[in-house]
Amino acid sequence: MKILLLGGTKEARDLAQELVTQGHRVISSLAGQVKSPRLPAGEIRIGGFGGISGLKTYITAHSIDLVIDATHPFAAQITSNAITASKELAVPYLNFERPSWENHDDAASWHWVTDNSAAAATIGCLGDRPFLSCGRKTLPNFLDWQNFALVRVVDPLTIAVPRAWKIILSRGPYFFTDELKLIEKNRINLLITKDSGGVHTEAKLEVAKQLGIPVVVISRPKIPQEYLKFEKITEVLAWLESVKKN
Ligand code: NAP
C-alpha cells in the first residue's frame, strides 16, 4: 500500500515507524510550521498542499492508496480537506487520533468549553494568573487579558502579546516534577488547555489537581462518525491486514 500519512504529531511518527517496518510505502506529510521538526521514518514531504484541490492533485499524482490523517486533533482544516479530497477521489480515509481526555479520571472536575473565546472568558473569574497551554493559534483570543499569563510554545511568537505575558519556548513531552516547578514558580492559579489528549502533555493536569488549580479544557472538533477512526497502532495494522485479505 502506498500511504499518505498526514502528520506533525508523535502519534504520526510512531505510526510511520510501524508501517515502514511492516513494509508499507509511507509518505509522511508535515505542514512546515515548526522550524526543526522531528522527522518520521519513511519518505517525507513538507508544506501545505494548496487546499483541497492541491491535495487531490497530490494524491492522484502519487497514486496514493490510502490517506491516514494522524494530524493533531485540533488541526481541523487539514482534516476537513483530507476528508473532502479522499471522498471526491474515492480513496479511503482513516483518522488516527490520540485518545481524548474526556474519559480522564478528573475530567468531571474540569470546566469544559467549546471554543477559545469561552476559555478566555474564564480568566479573571476562575483565576488571574493563567497558564495558557492551548497552542499559539489560540493566543489571539486571549489578547484582551493584559495582566500576567504564562504561555508555552515551540517556536517564538510572531504576534505581539501583552508585555505582562511570560513566554517560554519548549517542546514536550513534559513530566510531573518539571510541570510542578513551573506552575509553582509562576504562581499559576488557572490552567487553560485544549483536549489534546494522550500522555505527552498530561502531567500539568496532575499538577493542577494536586495544587487545587481550576482547569479549563477546550473540547476537540469532532470527526464525523462515518469515517474510520482508530486510536491504537495495532487497530490500524489489523485494519490494513483485513483490507489485504479482502
Ligand atoms: P490546520 O489549521 O488544520 O491546517 C492549516 C493548513 O496547514 C492546511 O490547510 C494545510 O495547508 C497545512 N497543513 C496542516 N497540516 C499539514 C500536514 N500534515 N501536511 C501538509 N500540510 C498541512 O493545521 P494546524 O492546526 O495549523 O497544524 C499544522 C500542523 O501542526 C499539523 O500537521 C498538526 O498535526 C501539527 N500540530 C498542530 C497542533 C495544533 O494544536 N493545531 C499541535 C501540534 C501539532 P494547505 O491547505 O495548503 O494544504
Side-chain angles (χ1 to χ4, degrees), residues 174-197:
Y174 300 106
F175 301 99
F176 184 87
T177 315
D178 296 330
E179 294 291 68
L180 179 64
K181 222 182 282 173
L182 179 76
I183 286 173
E184 282 189 327
K185 181 177 162 207
N186 288 286
R187 293 181 286 117
I188 298 301
N189 60 16
L190 173 63
L191 170 62
I192 299 185
T193 182
K194 54 189 178 192
D195 179 15
S196 295

PDB file of all heavy atoms in Angstrom, residues 174-197:
ATOM      1  N   TYR A 174       6.314  16.484  28.641  1.00  0.00           N
ATOM      2  CA  TYR A 174       6.523  17.146  29.923  1.00  0.00           C
ATOM      3  C   TYR A 174       6.234  16.162  31.053  1.00  0.00           C
ATOM      4  O   TYR A 174       5.338  15.326  30.940  1.00  0.00           O
ATOM      5  CB  TYR A 174       5.602  18.364  30.039  1.00  0.00           C
ATOM      6  CG  TYR A 174       5.856  19.371  28.943  1.00  0.00           C
ATOM      7  CD1 TYR A 174       4.955  19.521  27.891  1.00  0.00           C
ATOM      8  CD2 TYR A 174       7.004  20.166  28.942  1.00  0.00           C
ATOM      9  CE1 TYR A 174       5.185  20.428  26.869  1.00  0.00           C
ATOM     10  CE2 TYR A 174       7.253  21.080  27.927  1.00  0.00           C
ATOM     11  CZ  TYR A 174       6.345  21.200  26.895  1.00  0.00           C
ATOM     12  OH  TYR A 174       6.586  22.097  25.882  1.00  0.00           O
ATOM     13  N   PHE A 175       6.991  16.324  32.145  1.00  0.00           N
ATOM     14  CA  PHE A 175       6.860  15.388  33.257  1.00  0.00           C
ATOM     15  C   PHE A 175       6.478  16.126  34.540  1.00  0.00           C
ATOM     16  O   PHE A 175       6.716  17.331  34.664  1.00  0.00           O
ATOM     17  CB  PHE A 175       8.162  14.594  33.421  1.00  0.00           C
ATOM     18  CG  PHE A 175       8.487  13.841  32.162  1.00  0.00           C
ATOM     19  CD1 PHE A 175       9.419  14.343  31.250  1.00  0.00           C
ATOM     20  CD2 PHE A 175       7.814  12.667  31.846  1.00  0.00           C
ATOM     21  CE1 PHE A 175       9.681  13.666  30.062  1.00  0.00           C
ATOM     22  CE2 PHE A 175       8.076  11.986  30.656  1.00  0.00           C
ATOM     23  CZ  PHE A 175       9.011  12.487  29.772  1.00  0.00           C
ATOM     24  N   PHE A 176       5.905  15.348  35.465  1.00  0.00           N
ATOM     25  CA  PHE A 176       5.276  15.933  36.652  1.00  0.00           C
ATOM     26  C   PHE A 176       6.188  16.908  37.409  1.00  0.00           C
ATOM     27  O   PHE A 176       5.788  18.035  37.712  1.00  0.00           O
ATOM     28  CB  PHE A 176       4.795  14.805  37.588  1.00  0.00           C
ATOM     29  CG  PHE A 176       4.062  15.310  38.778  1.00  0.00           C
ATOM     30  CD1 PHE A 176       2.684  15.548  38.743  1.00  0.00           C
ATOM     31  CD2 PHE A 176       4.736  15.580  39.962  1.00  0.00           C
ATOM     32  CE1 PHE A 176       2.010  16.044  39.843  1.00  0.00           C
ATOM     33  CE2 PHE A 176       4.068  16.075  41.074  1.00  0.00           C
ATOM     34  CZ  PHE A 176       2.706  16.309  41.014  1.00  0.00           C
ATOM     35  N   THR A 177       7.397  16.495  37.727  1.00  0.00           N
ATOM     36  CA  THR A 177       8.265  17.321  38.580  1.00  0.00           C
ATOM     37  C   THR A 177       8.545  18.674  37.941  1.00  0.00           C
ATOM     38  O   THR A 177       8.499  19.717  38.616  1.00  0.00           O
ATOM     39  CB  THR A 177       9.597  16.588  38.839  1.00  0.00           C
ATOM     40  OG1 THR A 177       9.290  15.240  39.166  1.00  0.00           O
ATOM     41  CG2 THR A 177      10.384  17.201  39.954  1.00  0.00           C
ATOM     42  N   ASP A 178       8.834  18.669  36.645  1.00  0.00           N
ATOM     43  CA  ASP A 178       9.131  19.929  35.952  1.00  0.00           C
ATOM     44  C   ASP A 178       7.888  20.803  35.851  1.00  0.00           C
ATOM     45  O   ASP A 178       7.959  22.030  36.008  1.00  0.00           O
ATOM     46  CB  ASP A 178       9.661  19.645  34.540  1.00  0.00           C
ATOM     47  CG  ASP A 178      10.977  18.915  34.591  1.00  0.00           C
ATOM     48  OD1 ASP A 178      11.720  19.123  35.568  1.00  0.00           O
ATOM     49  OD2 ASP A 178      11.263  18.129  33.676  1.00  0.00           O
ATOM     50  N   GLU A 179       6.746  20.164  35.588  1.00  0.00           N
ATOM     51  CA  GLU A 179       5.498  20.920  35.478  1.00  0.00           C
ATOM     52  C   GLU A 179       5.140  21.548  36.825  1.00  0.00           C
ATOM     53  O   GLU A 179       4.701  22.706  36.894  1.00  0.00           O
ATOM     54  CB  GLU A 179       4.349  20.024  34.997  1.00  0.00           C
ATOM     55  CG  GLU A 179       4.506  19.507  33.584  1.00  0.00           C
ATOM     56  CD  GLU A 179       4.373  20.586  32.520  1.00  0.00           C
ATOM     57  OE1 GLU A 179       5.273  21.455  32.465  1.00  0.00           O
ATOM     58  OE2 GLU A 179       3.406  20.551  31.745  1.00  0.00           O
ATOM     59  N   LEU A 180       5.371  20.802  37.891  1.00  0.00           N
ATOM     60  CA  LEU A 180       5.084  21.303  39.239  1.00  0.00           C
ATOM     61  C   LEU A 180       5.944  22.535  39.527  1.00  0.00           C
ATOM     62  O   LEU A 180       5.469  23.578  39.985  1.00  0.00           O
ATOM     63  CB  LEU A 180       5.360  20.200  40.268  1.00  0.00           C
ATOM     64  CG  LEU A 180       5.130  20.557  41.730  1.00  0.00           C
ATOM     65  CD1 LEU A 180       3.660  20.875  41.995  1.00  0.00           C
ATOM     66  CD2 LEU A 180       5.574  19.422  42.654  1.00  0.00           C
ATOM     67  N   LYS A 181       7.225  22.411  39.198  1.00  0.00           N
ATOM     68  CA  LYS A 181       8.173  23.505  39.424  1.00  0.00           C
ATOM     69  C   LYS A 181       7.728  24.754  38.653  1.00  0.00           C
ATOM     70  O   LYS A 181       7.676  25.860  39.180  1.00  0.00           O
ATOM     71  CB  LYS A 181       9.571  23.067  38.934  1.00  0.00           C
ATOM     72  CG  LYS A 181      10.698  23.473  39.855  1.00  0.00           C
ATOM     73  CD  LYS A 181      12.046  23.063  39.295  1.00  0.00           C
ATOM     74  CE  LYS A 181      12.367  21.603  39.475  1.00  0.00           C
ATOM     75  NZ  LYS A 181      13.586  21.175  38.793  1.00  0.00           N
ATOM     76  N   LEU A 182       7.382  24.549  37.394  1.00  0.00           N
ATOM     77  CA  LEU A 182       6.985  25.664  36.520  1.00  0.00           C
ATOM     78  C   LEU A 182       5.719  26.354  37.051  1.00  0.00           C
ATOM     79  O   LEU A 182       5.654  27.597  37.137  1.00  0.00           O
ATOM     80  CB  LEU A 182       6.726  25.123  35.105  1.00  0.00           C
ATOM     81  CG  LEU A 182       6.278  26.144  34.072  1.00  0.00           C
ATOM     82  CD1 LEU A 182       7.461  26.995  33.627  1.00  0.00           C
ATOM     83  CD2 LEU A 182       5.653  25.452  32.848  1.00  0.00           C
ATOM     84  N   ILE A 183       4.751  25.556  37.417  1.00  0.00           N
ATOM     85  CA  ILE A 183       3.458  26.099  37.837  1.00  0.00           C
ATOM     86  C   ILE A 183       3.581  26.797  39.201  1.00  0.00           C
ATOM     87  O   ILE A 183       3.009  27.871  39.415  1.00  0.00           O
ATOM     88  CB  ILE A 183       2.397  24.968  37.815  1.00  0.00           C
ATOM     89  CG1 ILE A 183       2.049  24.671  36.350  1.00  0.00           C
ATOM     90  CG2 ILE A 183       1.166  25.313  38.625  1.00  0.00           C
ATOM     91  CD1 ILE A 183       1.143  23.484  36.109  1.00  0.00           C
ATOM     92  N   GLU A 184       4.366  26.203  40.091  1.00  0.00           N
ATOM     93  CA  GLU A 184       4.568  26.831  41.409  1.00  0.00           C
ATOM     94  C   GLU A 184       5.379  28.115  41.279  1.00  0.00           C
ATOM     95  O   GLU A 184       5.018  29.149  41.855  1.00  0.00           O
ATOM     96  CB  GLU A 184       5.264  25.851  42.357  1.00  0.00           C
ATOM     97  CG  GLU A 184       4.302  24.810  42.897  1.00  0.00           C
ATOM     98  CD  GLU A 184       4.889  23.956  44.007  1.00  0.00           C
ATOM     99  OE1 GLU A 184       6.114  23.691  43.988  1.00  0.00           O
ATOM    100  OE2 GLU A 184       4.114  23.540  44.885  1.00  0.00           O
ATOM    101  N   LYS A 185       6.448  28.049  40.507  1.00  0.00           N
ATOM    102  CA  LYS A 185       7.345  29.214  40.356  1.00  0.00           C
ATOM    103  C   LYS A 185       6.575  30.417  39.802  1.00  0.00           C
ATOM    104  O   LYS A 185       6.816  31.566  40.192  1.00  0.00           O
ATOM    105  CB  LYS A 185       8.483  28.823  39.410  1.00  0.00           C
ATOM    106  CG  LYS A 185       9.505  29.901  39.174  1.00  0.00           C
ATOM    107  CD  LYS A 185      10.628  29.393  38.294  1.00  0.00           C
ATOM    108  CE  LYS A 185      11.379  30.575  37.718  1.00  0.00           C
ATOM    109  NZ  LYS A 185      12.018  30.271  36.459  1.00  0.00           N
ATOM    110  N   ASN A 186       5.645  30.159  38.905  1.00  0.00           N
ATOM    111  CA  ASN A 186       4.907  31.262  38.271  1.00  0.00           C
ATOM    112  C   ASN A 186       3.582  31.572  38.965  1.00  0.00           C
ATOM    113  O   ASN A 186       2.789  32.357  38.464  1.00  0.00           O
ATOM    114  CB  ASN A 186       4.679  30.942  36.788  1.00  0.00           C
ATOM    115  CG  ASN A 186       5.973  31.041  36.003  1.00  0.00           C
ATOM    116  OD1 ASN A 186       6.456  32.135  35.747  1.00  0.00           O
ATOM    117  ND2 ASN A 186       6.558  29.900  35.680  1.00  0.00           N
ATOM    118  N   ARG A 187       3.372  30.932  40.101  1.00  0.00           N
ATOM    119  CA  ARG A 187       2.157  31.127  40.923  1.00  0.00           C
ATOM    120  C   ARG A 187       0.892  31.069  40.062  1.00  0.00           C
ATOM    121  O   ARG A 187      -0.003  31.897  40.151  1.00  0.00           O
ATOM    122  CB  ARG A 187       2.252  32.460  41.694  1.00  0.00           C
ATOM    123  CG  ARG A 187       3.359  32.426  42.751  1.00  0.00           C
ATOM    124  CD  ARG A 187       3.460  33.701  43.537  1.00  0.00           C
ATOM    125  NE  ARG A 187       4.058  34.769  42.750  1.00  0.00           N
ATOM    126  CZ  ARG A 187       3.471  35.889  42.401  1.00  0.00           C
ATOM    127  NH1 ARG A 187       2.231  36.130  42.760  1.00  0.00           N
ATOM    128  NH2 ARG A 187       4.102  36.800  41.676  1.00  0.00           N
ATOM    129  N   ILE A 188       0.852  30.040  39.233  1.00  0.00           N
ATOM    130  CA  ILE A 188      -0.301  29.827  38.344  1.00  0.00           C
ATOM    131  C   ILE A 188      -1.520  29.462  39.192  1.00  0.00           C
ATOM    132  O   ILE A 188      -1.425  28.612  40.091  1.00  0.00           O
ATOM    133  CB  ILE A 188       0.016  28.690  37.336  1.00  0.00           C
ATOM    134  CG1 ILE A 188       1.190  29.069  36.445  1.00  0.00           C
ATOM    135  CG2 ILE A 188      -1.216  28.296  36.529  1.00  0.00           C
ATOM    136  CD1 ILE A 188       1.005  30.317  35.624  1.00  0.00           C
ATOM    137  N   ASN A 189      -2.661  30.103  38.890  1.00  0.00           N
ATOM    138  CA  ASN A 189      -3.881  29.710  39.607  1.00  0.00           C
ATOM    139  C   ASN A 189      -5.030  29.375  38.653  1.00  0.00           C
ATOM    140  O   ASN A 189      -6.188  29.275  39.070  1.00  0.00           O
ATOM    141  CB  ASN A 189      -4.288  30.772  40.636  1.00  0.00           C
ATOM    142  CG  ASN A 189      -4.554  32.134  39.985  1.00  0.00           C
ATOM    143  OD1 ASN A 189      -4.721  32.214  38.762  1.00  0.00           O
ATOM    144  ND2 ASN A 189      -4.600  33.170  40.787  1.00  0.00           N
ATOM    145  N   LEU A 190      -4.698  29.205  37.364  1.00  0.00           N
ATOM    146  CA  LEU A 190      -5.703  28.778  36.384  1.00  0.00           C
ATOM    147  C   LEU A 190      -4.965  28.114  35.220  1.00  0.00           C
ATOM    148  O   LEU A 190      -4.045  28.710  34.655  1.00  0.00           O
ATOM    149  CB  LEU A 190      -6.498  30.000  35.886  1.00  0.00           C
ATOM    150  CG  LEU A 190      -7.473  29.769  34.731  1.00  0.00           C
ATOM    151  CD1 LEU A 190      -8.574  28.787  35.134  1.00  0.00           C
ATOM    152  CD2 LEU A 190      -8.111  31.101  34.299  1.00  0.00           C
ATOM    153  N   LEU A 191      -5.371  26.901  34.897  1.00  0.00           N
ATOM    154  CA  LEU A 191      -4.754  26.201  33.756  1.00  0.00           C
ATOM    155  C   LEU A 191      -5.768  26.146  32.616  1.00  0.00           C
ATOM    156  O   LEU A 191      -6.885  25.658  32.804  1.00  0.00           O
ATOM    157  CB  LEU A 191      -4.359  24.779  34.171  1.00  0.00           C
ATOM    158  CG  LEU A 191      -3.914  23.846  33.038  1.00  0.00           C
ATOM    159  CD1 LEU A 191      -2.658  24.361  32.342  1.00  0.00           C
ATOM    160  CD2 LEU A 191      -3.671  22.428  33.581  1.00  0.00           C
ATOM    161  N   ILE A 192      -5.361  26.688  31.460  1.00  0.00           N
ATOM    162  CA  ILE A 192      -6.233  26.613  30.281  1.00  0.00           C
ATOM    163  C   ILE A 192      -5.538  25.754  29.240  1.00  0.00           C
ATOM    164  O   ILE A 192      -4.409  26.039  28.821  1.00  0.00           O
ATOM    165  CB  ILE A 192      -6.554  28.015  29.715  1.00  0.00           C
ATOM    166  CG1 ILE A 192      -7.276  28.833  30.788  1.00  0.00           C
ATOM    167  CG2 ILE A 192      -7.405  27.898  28.454  1.00  0.00           C
ATOM    168  CD1 ILE A 192      -7.763  30.190  30.337  1.00  0.00           C
ATOM    169  N   THR A 193      -6.194  24.691  28.850  1.00  0.00           N
ATOM    170  CA  THR A 193      -5.602  23.772  27.883  1.00  0.00           C
ATOM    171  C   THR A 193      -6.671  23.348  26.892  1.00  0.00           C
ATOM    172  O   THR A 193      -7.854  23.614  27.087  1.00  0.00           O
ATOM    173  CB  THR A 193      -5.015  22.538  28.614  1.00  0.00           C
ATOM    174  OG1 THR A 193      -4.392  21.678  27.652  1.00  0.00           O
ATOM    175  CG2 THR A 193      -6.087  21.748  29.338  1.00  0.00           C
ATOM    176  N   LYS A 194      -6.237  22.724  25.793  1.00  0.00           N
ATOM    177  CA  LYS A 194      -7.225  22.132  24.911  1.00  0.00           C
ATOM    178  C   LYS A 194      -7.168  20.620  25.092  1.00  0.00           C
ATOM    179  O   LYS A 194      -6.171  20.112  25.621  1.00  0.00           O
ATOM    180  CB  LYS A 194      -6.984  22.564  23.469  1.00  0.00           C
ATOM    181  CG  LYS A 194      -5.616  22.291  22.975  1.00  0.00           C
ATOM    182  CD  LYS A 194      -5.395  22.955  21.630  1.00  0.00           C
ATOM    183  CE  LYS A 194      -3.974  22.685  21.185  1.00  0.00           C
ATOM    184  NZ  LYS A 194      -3.548  23.473  20.065  1.00  0.00           N
ATOM    185  N   ASP A 195      -8.191  19.937  24.643  1.00  0.00           N
ATOM    186  CA  ASP A 195      -8.244  18.490  24.829  1.00  0.00           C
ATOM    187  C   ASP A 195      -7.319  17.808  23.831  1.00  0.00           C
ATOM    188  O   ASP A 195      -7.754  17.111  22.930  1.00  0.00           O
ATOM    189  CB  ASP A 195      -9.699  17.999  24.665  1.00  0.00           C
ATOM    190  CG  ASP A 195      -9.814  16.485  24.814  1.00  0.00           C
ATOM    191  OD1 ASP A 195      -8.840  15.872  25.312  1.00  0.00           O
ATOM    192  OD2 ASP A 195     -10.858  15.932  24.434  1.00  0.00           O
ATOM    193  N   SER A 196      -6.018  18.032  24.020  1.00  0.00           N
ATOM    194  CA  SER A 196      -5.028  17.402  23.142  1.00  0.00           C
ATOM    195  C   SER A 196      -5.053  15.896  23.334  1.00  0.00           C
ATOM    196  O   SER A 196      -4.838  15.134  22.402  1.00  0.00           O
ATOM    197  CB  SER A 196      -3.629  17.929  23.443  1.00  0.00           C
ATOM    198  OG  SER A 196      -3.577  19.289  23.132  1.00  0.00           O
ATOM    199  N   GLY A 197      -5.306  15.473  24.561  1.00  0.00           N
ATOM    200  CA  GLY A 197      -5.366  14.040  24.842  1.00  0.00           C
ATOM    201  C   GLY A 197      -3.992  13.401  24.905  1.00  0.00           C
ATOM    202  O   GLY A 197      -2.965  14.062  24.732  1.00  0.00           O
TER     203      GLY A 197
END
